[in-house]
Amino acid sequence: MSSAGIGHNKGPSMEPGLLWRTHQWRSAQRQLMRKTIPLMVVQMRIKRAAELGMDYKTYASIRQASGQDILALMFSSNALRIIGQGAKMPDAESRALEVVRAAQKLTLVHAPNTPDGVMAANPVLDAADVAPKFNESWSAMRDRVSGLIQSQKLPGNTVLVIGDAPMESDWSTAARAAGYLPAAQYFQSAIS
């Protein structure tokens, strides 16, 4: 058997006995990777997904990618359908946020609305700030999004960004957040 050199992936060699070594290698890999999550953990995560107003599959994929639980949902005012002056979100979105437990509900507000106006009209929200403008630099966008997260004393990777405009998906990357979810996907499971 030859020794593995630079660039070798430590997989089975192509020398005689290949089938046996392949079997041993795959068996060792399977032993290292658990295929199932304990039932109690799954039940806790299903409950947590419901507390966040999300379906289990979405919650589990975000949690797996970030390695953290979601402690806050950060919505764009577009995602909440707070468009134009008036600052009040539609009843369906408001009811969906009322079921969220043990997580902060944050929003970044696009003009002409103001954070104070949105907070006054939507008591279901916990905090609001001005949304990044579409023509701002990456660092300015990062500072605006991270600013709201830091003001709530949250680690970025525990915040899920929920948006409804093309540039809003970049907020997640800029803030090193847990992930990004389109508003239609979040509210589809929350409202239905």
Side-chain angles (χ1 to χ4, degrees):
M1 187 168 180
S2 64
S3 65
I6 294 175
H8 195 284
N9 70 358
K10 308 285 193 282
S13 73
M14 303 307 274
E15 296 173 358
L18 171 66
L19 290 177
W20 177 245
R21 283 191 304 279
T22 301
H23 168 73
Q24 288 179 314
W25 187 51
R26 288 191 179 138
S27 294
Q29 281 185 316
R30 278 192 295 275
Q31 288 174 6
L32 289 175
M33 294 185 211
R34 280 192 346 209
K35 288 187 176 185
T36 60
I37 298 174
L39 181 59
M40 185 173 22
V41 173
V42 172
Q43 290 171 333
M44 288 176 12
R45 290 183 180 177
I46 288 171
K47 180 182 177 199
R48 182 64 181 144
E51 291 174 346
L52 293 169
M54 301 169 66
D55 63 87
Y56 172 73
K57 185 177 179 182
T58 302
Y59 170 74
S61 67
I62 292 166
R63 179 166 176 127
Q64 182 179 13
S66 70
Q68 300 290 325
D69 190 20
I70 298 169
L71 301 180
L73 303 172
M74 179 186 287
F75 298 88
S76 70
S77 56
N78 291 329
L80 296 175
R81 302 293 180 251
I82 301 172
I83 300 171
Q85 289 186 315
K88 179 113 174 75
M89 75 177 85
D91 289 339
E93 280 76 5
S94 183
R95 282 192 307 273
L97 294 189
E98 287 173 359
V99 304
V100 174
R101 300 284 177 256
Q104 293 186 42
K105 295 160 281 193
L106 316 174
T107 186
L108 289 169
V109 180
H110 293 286
N113 289 302
T114 64
D116 290 338
V118 168
M119 290 299 295
N122 302 285
V124 71
L125 295 170
D126 296 311
D129 206 344
V130 176
K133 294 176 180 60
F134 293 111
N135 60 353
E136 285 186 326
S137 68
W138 179 264
S139 58
M141 175 179 51
R142 179 198 62 223
D143 293 346
R144 283 189 188 270
V145 178
S146 295
L148 179 56
I149 294 170
Q150 291 170 0
S151 74
Q152 301 304 302
K153 297 180 174 40
L154 292 164
N157 65 347
T158 64
V159 178
L160 177 63
V161 176
I162 301 168
D164 197 43
M167 297 299 286
E168 293 171 356
S169 63
D170 291 340
W171 296 359
S172 174
T173 305
R176 296 183 179 168
Y180 174 81
L181 198 59
Q185 185 178 350
Y186 177 81
F187 287 110
Q188 173 188 357
S189 61
I191 293 174
S192 56

